[in-house]
Coordinates of all heavy atoms in Angstrom, one line a residue:
M28 N 18.9 6.3 -25.3 CA 17.9 5.6 -24.7 C 16.7 6.5 -24.3 O 17.0 7.6 -23.7 CB 18.4 4.9 -23.4 CG 17.4 4.0 -22.7 SD 18.3 3.0 -21.4 CE 16.9 2.4 -20.6
A29 N 15.5 6.2 -24.6 CA 14.3 7.0 -24.3 C 14.1 7.1 -22.8 O 14.3 6.1 -22.1 CB 13.1 6.5 -25.0
K30 N 13.7 8.3 -22.4 CA 13.4 8.5 -21.0 C 12.1 7.8 -20.7 O 11.1 7.9 -21.4 CB 13.2 10.0 -20.7 CG 13.2 10.4 -19.3 CD 13.3 11.9 -19.1 CE 13.4 12.2 -17.7 NZ 13.5 13.7 -17.5
M31 N 12.1 7.1 -19.5 CA 10.9 6.3 -19.1 C 10.0 7.1 -18.1 O 10.6 7.7 -17.2 CB 11.3 5.0 -18.5 CG 11.9 4.0 -19.5 SD 12.4 2.5 -18.7 CE 10.8 1.7 -18.5
S32 N 8.7 7.0 -18.2 CA 7.9 7.6 -17.2 C 7.9 6.7 -15.9 O 8.3 5.6 -16.0 CB 6.4 7.7 -17.7 OG 5.9 6.4 -17.8
V33 N 7.4 7.3 -14.8 CA 7.4 6.6 -13.6 C 6.5 5.3 -13.7 O 6.8 4.2 -13.3 CB 6.9 7.5 -12.4 CG1 6.6 6.6 -11.2 CG2 7.9 8.5 -12.1
D34 N 5.3 5.6 -14.4 CA 4.4 4.4 -14.6 C 5.0 3.3 -15.4 O 4.8 2.1 -15.1 CB 3.1 4.9 -15.3 CG 2.2 5.7 -14.3 OD1 2.4 5.5 -13.1 OD2 1.3 6.4 -14.8
D35 N 5.8 3.7 -16.4 CA 6.5 2.7 -17.2 C 7.5 1.9 -16.4 O 7.6 0.7 -16.5 CB 7.2 3.3 -18.4 CG 6.2 3.8 -19.5 OD1 5.0 3.3 -19.5 OD2 6.6 4.6 -20.3
K36 N 8.2 2.6 -15.5 CA 9.2 2.0 -14.7 C 8.5 1.0 -13.7 O 9.0 -0.1 -13.5 CB 10.0 3.0 -13.9 CG 11.0 3.8 -14.8 CD 11.7 4.8 -14.0 CE 12.7 5.6 -14.9 NZ 13.3 6.7 -14.1
L37 N 7.4 1.5 -13.1 CA 6.7 0.7 -12.1 C 6.2 -0.6 -12.8 O 6.1 -1.6 -12.2 CB 5.6 1.4 -11.4 CG 6.1 2.5 -10.5 CD1 4.9 3.3 -10.0 CD2 6.8 2.0 -9.3
G38 N 5.8 -0.4 -14.1 CA 5.2 -1.6 -14.8 C 6.2 -2.7 -15.0 O 5.8 -3.8 -15.3
L39 N 7.5 -2.4 -14.8 CA 8.5 -3.5 -15.0 C 8.8 -4.2 -13.7 O 9.4 -5.3 -13.7 CB 9.9 -2.8 -15.4 CG 9.8 -2.1 -16.8 CD1 11.2 -1.4 -17.1 CD2 9.5 -3.1 -17.9
D40 N 8.3 -3.7 -12.6 CA 8.5 -4.4 -11.3 C 7.9 -5.7 -11.2 O 6.8 -6.0 -11.9 CB 8.0 -3.5 -10.1 CG 8.8 -2.2 -10.0 OD1 9.9 -2.1 -10.5 OD2 8.2 -1.3 -9.4
L41 N 8.5 -6.6 -10.5 CA 7.9 -7.9 -10.3 C 7.3 -8.0 -8.9 O 7.9 -7.5 -7.9 CB 8.9 -9.0 -10.5 CG 9.5 -9.2 -11.9 CD1 10.6 -10.3 -11.8 CD2 8.4 -9.5 -12.9
F42 N 6.2 -8.7 -8.7 CA 5.6 -8.8 -7.4 C 5.4 -10.3 -7.1 O 4.9 -11.1 -7.9 CB 4.2 -8.1 -7.3 CG 4.3 -6.6 -7.5 CD1 4.2 -6.1 -8.7 CD2 4.5 -5.8 -6.4 CE1 4.3 -4.7 -8.9 CE2 4.6 -4.5 -6.5 CZ 4.5 -3.9 -7.8
H43 N 6.0 -10.7 -5.9 CA 5.8 -12.1 -5.4 C 4.8 -12.0 -4.3 O 5.2 -11.7 -3.1 CB 7.1 -12.7 -5.0 CG 8.1 -12.6 -6.1 ND1 8.1 -13.5 -7.2 CD2 9.2 -11.8 -6.3 CE1 9.1 -13.2 -8.0 NE2 9.8 -12.1 -7.5
T44 N 3.6 -12.1 -4.5 CA 2.5 -11.9 -3.5 C 2.3 -13.1 -2.7 O 2.0 -14.2 -3.2 CB 1.2 -11.4 -4.2 OG1 1.5 -10.3 -5.0 CG2 0.2 -11.1 -3.2
D45 N 2.3 -12.9 -1.3 CA 1.9 -13.9 -0.4 C 0.4 -13.7 -0.1 O 0.0 -12.8 0.7 CB 2.7 -13.8 0.9 CG 2.4 -14.9 1.9 OD1 1.3 -15.5 1.7 OD2 3.1 -15.0 2.9
E46 N -0.4 -14.4 -0.8 CA -1.9 -14.1 -0.8 C -2.5 -14.5 0.5 O -3.6 -14.0 0.9 CB -2.6 -14.9 -1.9 CG -2.1 -14.4 -3.3 CD -2.7 -15.2 -4.4 OE1 -3.5 -16.1 -4.2 OE2 -2.3 -14.9 -5.6
H47 N -1.8 -15.3 1.3 CA -2.4 -15.7 2.6 C -1.9 -14.9 3.8 O -2.5 -15.1 4.9 CB -2.1 -17.2 2.8 CG -2.6 -18.1 1.7 ND1 -3.9 -18.3 1.4 CD2 -1.9 -18.8 0.8 CE1 -4.0 -19.1 0.4 NE2 -2.8 -19.4 -0.1
N48 N -0.9 -14.1 3.6 CA -0.4 -13.4 4.7 C -0.2 -11.9 4.3 O 1.0 -11.5 4.0 CB 1.0 -14.0 5.2 CG 0.8 -15.4 5.7 OD1 0.1 -15.6 6.7 ND2 1.4 -16.3 5.0
P49 N -1.2 -11.1 4.4 CA -1.0 -9.7 4.0 C -0.1 -9.0 5.0 O -0.2 -9.2 6.2 CB -2.5 -9.1 4.1 CG -3.2 -10.1 4.9 CD -2.6 -11.4 4.7
H50 N 0.9 -8.3 4.5 CA 1.9 -7.7 5.4 C 1.4 -6.3 5.9 O 2.0 -5.7 6.8 CB 3.2 -7.5 4.7 CG 3.2 -6.6 3.5 ND1 2.6 -6.9 2.3 CD2 3.6 -5.3 3.3 CE1 2.7 -6.0 1.4 NE2 3.3 -5.0 2.0
I51 N 0.2 -5.9 5.4 CA -0.4 -4.7 6.0 C -1.8 -5.0 6.2 O -2.5 -5.6 5.4 CB -0.3 -3.5 5.0 CG1 1.2 -3.2 4.7 CG2 -1.0 -2.2 5.5 CD1 1.4 -2.2 3.5
T52 N -2.3 -4.6 7.4 CA -3.8 -4.7 7.7 C -4.3 -3.3 8.0 O -3.6 -2.4 8.5 CB -4.1 -5.7 8.8 OG1 -3.5 -5.2 10.0 CG2 -3.6 -7.1 8.5
V53 N -5.6 -3.1 7.7 CA -6.2 -1.8 8.0 C -7.4 -1.9 8.9 O -8.0 -2.9 9.0 CB -6.6 -1.1 6.6 CG1 -5.4 -0.9 5.7 CG2 -7.7 -1.9 5.9
N54 N -7.7 -0.7 9.5 CA -8.9 -0.6 10.3 C -10.0 -0.2 9.3 O -10.2 1.0 9.0 CB -8.8 0.4 11.4 CG -7.8 0.0 12.4 OD1 -7.9 -1.1 13.0 ND2 -6.8 0.8 12.7
E55 N -10.8 -1.2 8.9 CA -11.8 -0.9 7.8 C -12.9 0.1 8.3 O -13.4 0.8 7.5 CB -12.5 -2.2 7.4 CG -11.6 -3.2 6.7 CD -12.4 -4.4 6.2 OE1 -13.5 -4.6 6.7 OE2 -11.8 -5.2 5.4
D56 N -13.1 0.1 9.6 CA -14.2 1.0 10.1 C -13.7 2.3 10.6 O -14.4 3.1 11.2 CB -14.9 0.3 11.2 CG -15.7 -1.0 10.7 OD1 -16.2 -0.9 9.6 OD2 -15.7 -2.0 11.4
Y57 N -12.4 2.6 10.4 CA -11.9 3.9 10.8 C -12.7 5.0 10.1 O -13.0 4.9 9.0 CB -10.4 4.0 10.4 CG -9.6 5.0 11.2 CD1 -9.2 4.8 12.5 CD2 -9.4 6.3 10.6 CE1 -8.5 5.7 13.2 CE2 -8.7 7.2 11.4 CZ -8.3 7.0 12.6 OH -7.6 7.9 13.3
D58 N -13.0 6.0 10.9 CA -13.9 7.0 10.3 C -13.5 8.5 10.3 O -14.3 9.4 10.1 CB -15.3 6.9 11.1 CG -15.2 7.2 12.5 OD1 -14.1 7.5 13.0 OD2 -16.2 7.2 13.2
D59 N -12.2 8.7 10.6 CA -11.7 10.1 10.5 C -11.3 10.3 9.1 O -10.2 9.9 8.6 CB -10.5 10.2 11.5 CG -9.9 11.6 11.5 OD1 -10.1 12.4 10.5 OD2 -9.2 12.0 12.5
M60 N -12.1 11.1 8.4 CA -11.9 11.3 6.9 C -10.6 12.0 6.6 O -10.0 11.8 5.6 CB -13.1 12.0 6.3 CG -14.3 11.2 6.0 SD -13.9 9.7 5.1 CE -13.2 10.3 3.5
E61 N -10.1 12.8 7.6 CA -8.8 13.5 7.3 C -7.7 12.5 7.2 O -6.8 12.6 6.4 CB -8.6 14.5 8.4 CG -7.5 15.5 8.1 CD -7.3 16.6 9.1 OE1 -8.4 17.0 9.7 OE2 -6.2 17.1 9.3
E62 N -7.7 11.5 8.2 CA -6.7 10.5 8.2 C -6.8 9.6 7.0 O -5.9 9.2 6.3 CB -6.8 9.6 9.5 CG -6.3 10.3 10.7 CD -4.8 10.7 10.6 OE1 -4.0 9.9 10.0 OE2 -4.4 11.7 11.1
I63 N -8.1 9.2 6.6 CA -8.3 8.4 5.5 C -7.8 9.1 4.2 O -7.2 8.4 3.4 CB -9.8 8.0 5.4 CG1 -10.2 7.1 6.6 CG2 -10.1 7.3 4.1 CD1 -11.7 6.9 6.8
R64 N -8.1 10.3 4.1 CA -7.7 11.1 2.9 C -6.2 11.0 2.7 O -5.6 11.0 1.6 CB -8.2 12.5 2.9 CG -9.6 12.7 2.4 CD -10.1 14.1 2.5 NE -9.1 15.1 1.8 CZ -9.1 15.3 0.5 NH1 -9.9 14.6 -0.3 NH2 -8.2 16.2 0.0
K65 N -5.4 11.1 3.8 CA -4.0 11.1 3.8 C -3.5 9.8 3.1 O -2.6 9.9 2.2 CB -3.4 11.1 5.2 CG -3.4 12.4 5.9 CD -2.8 12.3 7.2 CE -3.0 13.5 8.1 NZ -2.4 13.3 9.5
V66 N -4.0 8.7 3.5 CA -3.4 7.4 2.8 C -4.0 7.2 1.4 O -3.3 6.7 0.6 CB -3.7 6.2 3.7 CG1 -2.9 6.2 5.0 CG2 -5.2 5.9 4.0
L67 N -5.2 7.7 1.2 CA -5.8 7.6 -0.2 C -4.9 8.4 -1.1 O -4.6 7.9 -2.2 CB -7.2 8.2 -0.2 CG -8.3 7.4 0.5 CD1 -9.6 8.1 0.4 CD2 -8.5 6.0 -0.1
L68 N -4.5 9.6 -0.7 CA -3.7 10.4 -1.6 C -2.3 10.1 -1.7 O -1.6 10.3 -2.7 CB -3.9 11.9 -1.2 CG -5.3 12.5 -1.3 CD1 -5.4 13.9 -0.7 CD2 -5.7 12.6 -2.8
A69 N -1.7 9.5 -0.6 CA -0.3 9.3 -0.5 C 0.2 8.0 -1.0 O 1.4 7.9 -1.5 CB 0.2 9.5 1.0
C70 N -0.6 7.0 -1.0 CA -0.1 5.7 -1.5 C 0.2 5.7 -3.0 O -0.6 5.9 -3.8 CB -1.1 4.6 -1.2 SG -0.6 3.0 -1.9
P71 N 1.5 5.6 -3.3 CA 1.9 5.7 -4.7 C 1.4 4.6 -5.6 O 1.3 4.7 -6.8 CB 3.4 5.7 -4.7 CG 3.8 4.9 -3.4 CD 2.7 5.3 -2.5
A72 N 0.9 3.5 -5.0 CA 0.4 2.4 -5.8 C -1.1 2.4 -5.8 O -1.7 1.6 -6.5 CB 0.9 1.1 -5.2
G73 N -1.7 3.4 -5.1 CA -3.2 3.5 -5.2 C -3.9 2.3 -4.6 O -5.0 1.9 -5.2
L74 N -3.4 1.8 -3.5 CA -4.0 0.6 -3.0 C -5.1 0.8 -2.0 O -5.8 -0.1 -1.6 CB -2.9 -0.3 -2.3 CG -1.8 -0.7 -3.3 CD1 -0.8 -1.5 -2.5 CD2 -2.3 -1.4 -4.5
Y75 N -5.3 2.0 -1.5 CA -6.3 2.4 -0.5 C -7.5 2.9 -1.2 O -7.4 3.8 -2.2 CB -5.8 3.4 0.5 CG -4.8 2.8 1.5 CD1 -3.5 2.8 1.2 CD2 -5.3 2.3 2.7 CE1 -2.6 2.2 2.1 CE2 -4.4 1.7 3.6 CZ -3.1 1.7 3.3 OH -2.2 1.2 4.2
H76 N -8.7 2.5 -0.8 CA -10.0 3.0 -1.4 C -10.9 3.3 -0.2 O -10.8 2.7 0.8 CB -10.5 2.1 -2.4 CG -9.6 1.8 -3.6 ND1 -9.5 2.7 -4.6 CD2 -8.7 0.8 -3.8 CE1 -8.5 2.2 -5.4 NE2 -8.1 1.1 -5.0
Y77 N -11.9 4.1 -0.5 CA -12.9 4.3 0.5 C -14.3 4.2 -0.2 O -14.6 4.9 -1.1 CB -12.8 5.8 1.1 CG -13.7 6.0 2.2 CD1 -13.5 5.4 3.5 CD2 -14.8 6.9 2.1 CE1 -14.4 5.7 4.5 CE2 -15.7 7.2 3.1 CZ -15.5 6.6 4.4 OH -16.3 6.8 5.4
E78 N -15.0 3.2 0.2 CA -16.3 2.8 -0.5 C -17.3 2.5 0.6 O -17.0 1.7 1.5 CB -16.1 1.6 -1.4 CG -15.1 1.9 -2.5 CD -14.7 0.6 -3.3 OE1 -14.9 -0.5 -2.7 OE2 -14.2 0.8 -4.4
N79 N -18.5 3.0 0.5 CA -19.6 2.7 1.4 C -19.2 2.8 2.8 O -19.6 2.0 3.6 CB -20.2 1.3 1.1 CG -20.6 1.1 -0.4 OD1 -21.2 2.1 -0.9 ND2 -20.3 0.0 -1.0
G80 N -18.5 3.9 3.2 CA -18.2 4.1 4.6 C -17.1 3.2 5.1 O -16.9 3.2 6.3
K81 N -16.4 2.5 4.3 CA -15.3 1.6 4.8 C -14.0 1.8 4.0 O -14.0 2.1 2.8 CB -15.7 0.1 4.6 CG -16.8 -0.3 5.6 CD -16.9 -1.8 5.6 CE -18.0 -2.3 6.6 NZ -17.7 -2.1 8.0
V82 N -12.9 1.7 4.7 CA -11.6 1.7 4.0 C -11.4 0.3 3.4 O -11.5 -0.7 4.1 CB -10.5 2.0 5.0 CG1 -9.1 2.0 4.3 CG2 -10.7 3.4 5.7
T83 N -11.0 0.2 2.2 CA -10.7 -1.1 1.6 C -9.2 -1.0 1.1 O -8.7 0.1 0.7 CB -11.6 -1.4 0.4 OG1 -11.5 -0.4 -0.6 CG2 -13.1 -1.5 0.8
F84 N -8.6 -2.1 1.1 CA -7.2 -2.2 0.9 C -6.8 -3.6 0.3 O -7.3 -4.6 0.8 CB -6.4 -1.9 2.2 CG -4.9 -2.1 2.0 CD1 -4.1 -1.1 1.4 CD2 -4.3 -3.2 2.5 CE1 -2.8 -1.3 1.2 CE2 -2.9 -3.4 2.4 CZ -2.2 -2.5 1.7
S85 N -5.9 -3.6 -0.6 CA -5.3 -4.8 -1.1 C -3.8 -4.7 -1.0 O -3.2 -3.7 -1.5 CB -5.8 -5.2 -2.5 OG -5.0 -6.3 -3.0
H86 N -3.1 -5.7 -0.4 CA -1.6 -5.6 -0.3 C -0.9 -5.9 -1.7 O 0.2 -5.7 -1.8 CB -1.1 -6.4 0.8 CG -1.3 -7.9 0.6 ND1 -2.5 -8.5 0.6 CD2 -0.4 -8.9 0.3 CE1 -2.3 -9.8 0.4 NE2 -1.1 -10.1 0.2
E87 N -1.7 -6.5 -2.6 CA -1.1 -6.8 -3.9 C -0.7 -5.6 -4.7 O -1.5 -4.7 -4.9 CB -2.1 -7.7 -4.7 CG -2.4 -9.0 -4.1 CD -3.5 -9.7 -4.8 OE1 -3.7 -9.5 -6.0 OE2 -4.1 -10.6 -4.2
G88 N 0.6 -5.5 -5.0 CA 1.1 -4.3 -5.7 C 1.7 -3.3 -4.8 O 2.1 -2.2 -5.3
C89 N 1.8 -3.6 -3.5 CA 2.5 -2.7 -2.6 C 4.0 -2.6 -2.9 O 4.7 -3.5 -3.2 CB 2.3 -3.3 -1.2 SG 3.2 -2.3 0.1
L90 N 4.4 -1.3 -2.9 CA 5.8 -1.0 -3.2 C 6.7 -1.0 -2.0 O 7.9 -0.7 -2.1 CB 5.8 0.4 -3.9 CG 5.1 0.5 -5.2 CD1 4.9 1.9 -5.7 CD2 5.8 -0.4 -6.3
E91 N 6.1 -1.3 -0.8 CA 6.8 -1.3 0.5 C 7.6 0.0 0.8 O 8.6 -0.1 1.4 CB 7.8 -2.5 0.5 CG 7.1 -3.8 0.3 CD 8.1 -5.0 0.1 OE1 9.1 -5.0 0.8 OE2 7.8 -5.8 -0.8
C92 N 7.0 1.1 0.4 CA 7.6 2.4 0.6 C 7.5 2.8 2.1 O 8.3 3.7 2.5 CB 7.0 3.4 -0.3 SG 5.3 3.8 0.0
G93 N 6.5 2.3 2.8 CA 6.3 2.7 4.2 C 5.5 4.0 4.4 O 5.4 4.4 5.6
T94 N 5.1 4.6 3.4 CA 4.4 5.9 3.5 C 3.1 5.8 4.4 O 2.9 6.6 5.3 CB 4.0 6.5 2.1 OG1 5.2 6.6 1.3 CG2 3.3 7.8 2.2
C95 N 2.3 4.8 4.1 CA 1.1 4.7 4.9 C 1.4 4.4 6.4 O 0.7 4.8 7.3 CB 0.2 3.6 4.3 SG 0.9 1.9 4.2
R96 N 2.5 3.7 6.6 CA 2.9 3.4 8.0 C 3.3 4.7 8.7 O 2.9 5.0 9.8 CB 4.1 2.5 8.0 CG 4.6 2.2 9.4 CD 5.8 1.2 9.3 NE 6.2 0.9 10.7 CZ 7.2 0.1 11.0 NH1 7.8 -0.6 10.0 NH2 7.6 -0.1 12.2
V97 N 4.1 5.5 8.0 CA 4.5 6.8 8.6 C 3.3 7.7 8.9 O 3.2 8.3 9.9 CB 5.6 7.5 7.7 CG1 5.8 8.9 8.2 CG2 6.8 6.7 7.7
L98 N 2.4 7.7 7.9 CA 1.3 8.7 8.0 C 0.2 8.2 9.0 O -0.4 9.0 9.7 CB 0.6 8.8 6.7 CG 1.4 9.6 5.6 CD1 0.6 9.6 4.3 CD2 1.6 11.1 6.1
S99 N 0.0 6.9 9.1 CA -1.3 6.5 9.8 C -1.2 5.2 10.6 O -2.3 4.6 10.8 CB -2.4 6.4 8.7 OG -3.6 6.6 9.3
I100 N -0.1 4.9 11.1 CA 0.0 3.7 11.9 C -0.9 3.9 13.2 O -0.9 5.0 13.8 CB 1.5 3.3 12.3 CG1 1.5 1.9 12.9 CG2 2.1 4.3 13.2 CD1 1.2 0.7 12.0
D101 N -1.6 2.8 13.6 CA -2.5 2.9 14.7 C -3.7 3.8 14.4 O -4.5 4.1 15.4 CB -1.8 3.3 16.0 CG -0.8 2.3 16.4 OD1 -0.9 1.1 16.1 OD2 0.2 2.7 17.1
K102 N -3.9 4.2 13.2 CA -5.1 4.9 12.8 C -5.7 4.1 11.7 O -6.4 3.1 12.0 CB -4.7 6.3 12.4 CG -4.1 7.2 13.5 CD -3.6 8.5 13.1 CE -2.9 9.2 14.2 NZ -2.2 10.4 13.7
V103 N -5.5 4.5 10.4 CA -6.1 3.7 9.3 C -5.3 2.4 9.2 O -5.9 1.3 9.0 CB -6.0 4.5 8.0 CG1 -6.5 3.6 6.9 CG2 -6.8 5.8 8.1
V104 N -4.0 2.5 9.4 CA -3.1 1.3 9.3 C -3.1 0.6 10.7 O -2.6 1.1 11.7 CB -1.7 1.7 8.9 CG1 -0.8 0.4 8.8 CG2 -1.8 2.4 7.5
K105 N -3.6 -0.6 10.7 CA -3.6 -1.4 11.9 C -2.3 -2.1 12.2 O -1.8 -2.0 13.3 CB -4.7 -2.5 11.8 CG -5.0 -3.2 13.1 CD -5.9 -4.4 13.0 CE -7.3 -4.0 12.5 NZ -8.2 -5.2 12.4
S106 N -1.7 -2.6 11.2 CA -0.3 -3.3 11.3 C 0.4 -3.2 10.0 O -0.2 -3.1 8.9 CB -0.5 -4.7 11.7 OG -1.0 -5.5 10.7
W107 N 1.7 -3.1 10.1 CA 2.6 -2.9 8.9 C 3.9 -3.7 9.2 O 4.5 -3.5 10.2 CB 2.9 -1.5 8.7 CG 3.4 -1.1 7.3 CD1 2.7 -0.5 6.3 CD2 4.7 -1.4 6.8 NE1 3.5 -0.4 5.2 CE2 4.8 -0.9 5.4 CE3 5.9 -2.0 7.3 CZ2 5.9 -1.0 4.6 CZ3 7.0 -2.1 6.4 CH2 7.0 -1.6 5.1
D108 N 4.2 -4.6 8.2 CA 5.5 -5.3 8.3 C 5.9 -5.5 6.9 O 5.2 -5.4 5.9 CB 5.3 -6.6 9.1 CG 6.6 -7.0 9.7 OD1 7.7 -6.5 9.3 OD2 6.5 -7.9 10.6
H109 N 7.2 -5.9 6.7 CA 7.7 -6.3 5.4 C 7.1 -7.7 5.1 O 6.9 -8.5 6.0 CB 9.2 -6.3 5.3 CG 9.8 -5.0 5.4 ND1 9.8 -4.1 4.3 CD2 10.4 -4.3 6.4 CE1 10.4 -3.0 4.6 NE2 10.7 -3.1 5.9
P110 N 6.9 -8.0 3.8 CA 6.4 -9.4 3.5 C 7.4 -10.4 4.0 O 8.6 -10.1 4.1 CB 6.3 -9.3 1.9 CG 6.3 -7.9 1.6 CD 7.0 -7.2 2.6
M111 N 6.9 -11.6 4.2 CA 7.8 -12.7 4.7 C 8.7 -13.1 3.6 O 8.4 -13.0 2.4 CB 6.9 -13.8 5.3 CG 6.2 -13.3 6.5 SD 5.7 -14.6 7.7 CE 4.5 -15.5 6.7
G112 N 9.8 -13.8 3.9 CA 10.9 -14.2 3.1 C 10.5 -14.5 1.6 O 9.7 -15.4 1.4
G113 N 11.1 -13.8 0.7 CA 10.9 -14.1 -0.7 C 9.7 -13.4 -1.3 O 9.7 -13.3 -2.6
A114 N 8.8 -12.9 -0.5 CA 7.6 -12.3 -1.1 C 7.9 -10.8 -1.2 O 8.8 -10.2 -0.6 CB 6.4 -12.6 -0.2
G115 N 7.0 -10.1 -2.0 CA 7.1 -8.6 -2.0 C 7.5 -8.2 -3.4 O 7.5 -8.9 -4.4
V116 N 7.9 -6.9 -3.5 CA 8.2 -6.3 -4.7 C 9.7 -6.5 -5.1 O 10.6 -6.5 -4.2 CB 7.9 -4.7 -4.7 CG1 8.8 -4.0 -3.7 CG2 8.1 -4.1 -6.1
Q117 N 10.0 -6.6 -6.4 CA 11.3 -6.7 -6.9 C 11.4 -5.6 -7.9 O 10.8 -5.6 -9.0 CB 11.6 -8.0 -7.5 CG 13.0 -8.2 -8.0 CD 13.2 -9.6 -8.6 OE1 12.3 -10.5 -8.5 NE2 14.3 -9.8 -9.2
F118 N 12.2 -4.5 -7.5 CA 12.3 -3.4 -8.4 C 13.2 -3.7 -9.6 O 14.2 -4.3 -9.4 CB 12.8 -2.1 -7.6 CG 11.8 -1.6 -6.6 CD1 12.0 -1.9 -5.3 CD2 10.7 -0.9 -7.0 CE1 11.1 -1.5 -4.3 CE2 9.8 -0.5 -6.1 CZ 10.0 -0.7 -4.7
R119 N 12.9 -3.1 -10.8 CA 13.7 -3.3 -12.0 C 14.3 -2.1 -12.5 O 15.3 -2.1 -13.2 CB 12.8 -3.9 -13.1 CG 12.2 -5.3 -12.8 CD 13.3 -6.3 -12.7 NE 12.7 -7.6 -12.6 CZ 13.2 -8.6 -13.2 NH1 14.2 -8.5 -14.0 NH2 12.7 -9.8 -13.1
Q120 N 13.8 -0.9 -12.1 CA 14.3 0.4 -12.6 C 14.5 1.4 -11.5 O 14.0 2.5 -11.5 CB 13.4 0.9 -13.7 CG 13.4 0.3 -15.0 CD 14.7 0.6 -15.8 OE1 15.2 1.7 -15.7 NE2 15.2 -0.3 -16.5
G121 N 15.1 1.0 -10.4 CA 15.4 1.9 -9.3 C 14.2 2.2 -8.4 O 13.1 1.8 -8.6
Ligands
LIG14 S1 3.7 0.8 1.9 FE1 3.6 2.4 0.2 S2 2.8 1.3 -1.6 FE2 2.5 -0.1 0.2 S3 0.4 0.4 0.8 FE3 1.7 1.7 2.0 S4 1.8 3.6 0.9 FE4 1.0 2.1 -0.5

């Protein structure tokens, strides 16, 4: 069996997105660039962006790893919880 890359493995995951209830919210106006850089660089799904002086974020595609919570709760990350019943990521390759 051929060895799969991380991107290939992630591509097999299924996401059941609750579009009306984001499980993570961010402080869009947070302005400490050191903190912002942490989440920009650390999120394995690349869901954080910084554009026009604002942090932008989409919870769609979140791997629920908790990295952004550990790094920046009450800073860039305003709130973090697991998605509500049945929603969220379903891993296919570990
Ligand atoms: S929980 Fe993980 S994948 Fe989801 S937004 Fe935070 S760092 Fe990214």
Side-chain angles (χ1 to χ4, degrees):
M28 184 172 169
K30 193 170 183 178
M31 295 178 72
S32 70
V33 172
D34 285 343
D35 288 342
K36 290 178 181 177
L37 291 174
L39 297 176
D40 294 339
L41 294 178
F42 295 92
H43 306 282
T44 303
D45 184 345
E46 295 174 6
H47 303 293
N48 297 297
H50 63 287
I51 299 171
T52 61
V53 301
N54 291 308
E55 291 182 350
D56 296 323
Y57 198 81
D58 62 0
D59 182 336
M60 279 309 297
E61 193 171 329
E62 287 297 325
I63 293 168
R64 278 180 49 81
K65 286 182 191 175
V66 293
L67 289 177
L68 294 172
C70 176
L74 301 180
Y75 287 88
H76 300 281
Y77 187 71
E78 298 167 342
N79 302 320
K81 289 194 181 287
V82 177
T83 60
F84 173 78
S85 170
H86 68 290
E87 296 175 20
C89 176
L90 299 168
E91 299 171 45
C92 65
T94 302
C95 60
R96 177 182 182 174
V97 170
L98 288 177
S99 203
I100 191 71
D101 296 331
K102 296 174 187 169
V103 176
V104 179
K105 189 188 298 182
S106 67
W107 197 106
D108 206 343
H109 289 285
M111 295 204 293
V116 64
Q117 183 178 353
F118 293 104
R119 296 298 187 134
Q120 285 285 326

